[in-house]
Every structure is written in structure tokens, then in C-alpha cells.
Amino acid sequence: MISADAAPGAVRSPKTAELVARTLRRMVVEGQLKDGDFLPHEAELIAHFGVSRPTLREAVRVLESERLVEVRRGSRTGARVRVPGPEIVARPAALLMAISGTTLADVLAARIAIEPPAAKMLAENGADEAHAELREMAEAVPAAWEAGTLATASAQFHRRMVELSGNATLGIIAGMLHEIGERHTAAAISGTSADDTFSKAECTTLYKSYMKLINLAEARKGDAAEAHWRRHMEAASVAMLKGHEQTRVRDIMD
């Protein structure tokens, strides 16, 4: 039997504001409230939930702290729904990895664990529109090299490949790692001198590898797509870690 003295371990009943926030949050999750929608006016919500104005405002502040709504002070339009993307957790995750001393080698190992299976899913289950989008992104790689934006284009290709695989969890993880991957790619392809700069021949090799993945995906060859992308990621890991063997996440992040 639990004694009355066990108060510190007791389950706390949620406050009314938390219950209101929970209901509104569920409406966002279930799509009843969509990105860009405004919450109903205060008076309507107060009447609907049967709560006081301070309680309702506390509930809205809870959602605001979670970045589910955006409140413009002094505006008559009220709180606007903002459905978050991976960026909502990307910065805290990068900060946590920086604090924990995570190395770029560790991040690349995680990406090698994630991306090849995603490539298989993309081939076996990806929509034709997903394959077409990736083909368009790959075809832009040579122009990105010419413009000096290859790091951004490459990082975005990797992220979208995982997101378009159809596995939402892997897509969120890819989004979390996106900024780290982009900054690492930029550092790796820029080199430390003119002789180390990513060459046009290397860009062509990268382009061909991307196109091979897309061709395999369009042919619905899942195992072959996974094997190809694993080889691609392992070779890229060796190249990208050259000179960055001991580099940590905190060394490349602001």
C-alpha cells in the first residue's frame, strides 16, 4: 500500500491549461488545424472549453513554446498554426551532439546506417514523382559545382532521398542531420588549398553516382540501389573524413 507520505512520487494531475493545450495540439496532429490556420478567436475558445481568459492564454503559451503556434502581440488575428519540420529539433540535436563531443566520423557512420536502407525503400516503394524530383536535383549538380553551391546541392540531395523513401522516421532523422552534413560537405570539398578543391572530374563522378541511384530506383531494383548507395556512402566517408579524422560537430557549428 502506498502511504500518504509518498507525495513526491505521486502522479500530478494536469492543469486545465495543459488539458486545453493537449486538445489543440491533437487537432494539429490530426489535421483539423493546418499550417497557416488561425486559432478561433479567444471568446469562441473560452466558450468552447469553458475556461477563463488567463487559462486559455496559458494554454496558447504552451503551444507557442513548442513552436506549434505563432502569436503576434497586438495583432487582432490571434495565434497562427505553424506545423514544425525537422528544423525544430535539428538545432537542439546539433547542440547536444556538440556538447557530447560527437565527431563527424560518428555522424557519417550514422548516415551510412540510415541512407542505404532508405535507398532500397525509395526504389521499392517510392512514387514516380519522388524519382522525378531526385532526377531533377541530380541533373542540377554540374551547375551547382560551377556556381560554387555544390555542398548545399549535395546535402539537399541526400536529405530528400531519405525523405522521399517513404519512411517518416528516417526522414526526420535526415532533417536533423542536414545542417551538420551540409557544413561538413562544404569543409570537405573546399579543401585547405587550391590543389585540394573539389575538381570537375570528381563532380562528374558524383553526378554519375547520383544518376545510377535514380536509374536503379526507377527500375525498382531495391537491393541493387541499397548496395550501390552503401558503396557510395562508404567511399564518400573516406574522402570526407580526410583531414577531419578528429573533427567534432562543435568545430563546424556556430
Side-chain angles (χ1 to χ4, degrees), residues 53-224:
R53 179 171 280 103
T55 295
L56 177 65
R57 289 182 175 178
E58 183 181 350
V60 172
R61 281 195 295 270
V62 170
L63 299 179
E64 188 178 16
S65 71
E66 296 172 349
R67 299 184 185 179
L68 280 177
V69 300
E70 177 184 76
V71 180
R72 293 185 178 181
R73 308 303 174 192
S75 171
R76 295 183 180 181
T77 55
R80 194 171 195 173
V81 175
R82 291 299 186 198
V83 176
E87 66 278 356
I88 196 172
V89 290
R91 268 291 169 171
L95 178 60
L96 180 60
M97 285 188 280
I99 291 172
S100 65
T102 303
T103 63
L104 294 181
D106 185 87
V107 174
L108 271 172
R111 290 178 60 193
I112 291 173
I114 292 168
E115 292 195 25
K120 180 176 181 178
M121 295 177 201
L122 175 73
E124 294 180 345
N125 307 312
D128 292 341
E129 293 78 8
H131 299 161
E133 179 181 337
L134 282 179
R135 178 174 290 279
E136 185 176 343
M137 293 177 72
E139 289 172 345
V141 163
W145 179 83
E146 293 281 357
T149 58
L150 182 59
T152 298
S154 176
Q156 186 63 17
F157 181 91
H158 281 258
R159 174 180 177 173
R160 286 300 287 157
M161 188 278 292
V162 179
E163 290 175 340
L164 293 170
S165 71
N167 187 293
T169 302
L170 291 182
I172 291 171
I173 295 172
M176 288 170 54
L177 298 177
H178 174 71
E179 185 176 2
I180 296 172
E182 182 175 352
R183 293 191 181 212
H184 181 193
T185 302
I189 69 176
S190 64
T192 56
S193 70
D195 292 337
D196 294 328
T197 302
F198 202 74
S199 69
K200 186 172 183 178
E202 289 171 315
C203 177
T204 299
T205 299
L206 180 69
Y207 167 77
K208 289 180 178 178
S209 183
Y210 285 1
M211 294 304 293
K212 181 175 181 179
L213 171 66
I214 295 164
N215 290 336
L216 290 170
E218 290 176 342
R220 302 294 179 182
K221 296 181 178 180
D223 290 337

Side-chain angles (χ1 to χ4, degrees), residues 39-53 56-57:
L39 295 184
H41 290 297
E42 248 188 13
E44 185 178 343
L45 289 172
I46 288 171
H48 177 78
F49 289 111
V51 297
S52 66
R53 179 171 280 103
L56 177 65
R57 289 182 175 178

